[in-house]
Amino acid sequence: IVSIDRKLQRVIMSGAIKKATGLTGLHVAKNPHHTLTALYNKILRAVAKMPQDAAYRRYTEQIVSERAKVVATTPSVREVEDKINCGQVEELILQAENELTLARKMLGWKPWEPLVKQAPATQWSWPPAKIHELK
């Protein structure tokens, strides 16, 4: 009887062994389900510290929860990629890392709080050449 270790068994169950991503500098993820699950949970914990009515929290929770559910319920890496439809799992990991960094920065920035002072009336005027300086 031949014994197959768990990692190899998971790779076999998920399909062909991936040798390269085809993207310069982006290496094949060794355990994408675990990595994505950990990152998605960290993002959800970070946004949970924000007010419930904060737009960033609402939309980020929605997207990350949907993706986490796909990862949890889909054993095949290729199916995860197809269902999320935002690139290879290695790209999804990179996106999740960037989102986690942003979520942590948002906690410090607190964009849901009111402005310290009123924004200038011409803040959103375009083109800037037609804006007269405020005196």
Side-chain angles (χ1 to χ4, degrees):
I1 298 174
V2 178
S3 174
I4 299 176
D5 69 2
R6 286 184 173 180
K7 285 183 183 179
L8 182 57
Q9 187 176 15
R10 273 186 259 145
V11 170
I12 291 169
M13 287 174 53
S14 67
I17 296 174
K18 188 175 187 177
K19 296 182 184 198
T21 62
L23 301 169
T24 303
L26 195 58
H27 301 288
V28 175
K30 289 185 169 82
N31 195 349
H33 280 82
H34 173 75
T35 304
L36 282 170
T37 300
L39 287 167
Y40 289 154
N41 287 333
K42 287 179 183 182
I43 294 167
L44 291 172
R45 281 195 303 273
V47 298
K49 297 174 185 175
M50 299 174 187
Q52 287 187 337
D53 62 337
Y56 178 77
R57 175 184 174 164
R58 287 194 323 267
Y59 298 119
T60 303
E61 271 182 336
Q62 178 185 359
I63 293 167
V64 172
S65 295
E66 288 170 3
R67 288 182 176 197
K69 184 178 177 185
V70 168
V71 171
T73 60
T74 310
S76 166
V77 171
R78 182 156 298 171
E79 285 181 48
V80 169
E81 293 171 346
D82 290 342
K83 287 181 180 180
I84 294 178
N85 196 28
C86 285
Q88 299 178 42
V89 288
E90 292 80 7
E91 292 174 288
L92 296 175
I93 290 169
L94 185 60
Q95 292 166 15
E97 289 170 344
N98 290 338
E99 195 65 51
L100 178 59
T101 300
L102 177 60
R104 289 175 174 165
K105 287 181 179 181
M106 293 287 265
L107 283 170
W109 295 334
K110 300 178 183 176
W112 51 84
E113 290 185 353
L115 296 175
V116 175
K117 66 178 187 175
Q118 189 64 29
T122 58
Q123 177 176 343
W124 303 110
S125 297
W126 190 259
K130 293 185 177 183
I131 299 173
H132 300 287
E133 261 187 58
L134 296 175
K135 294 181 182 179

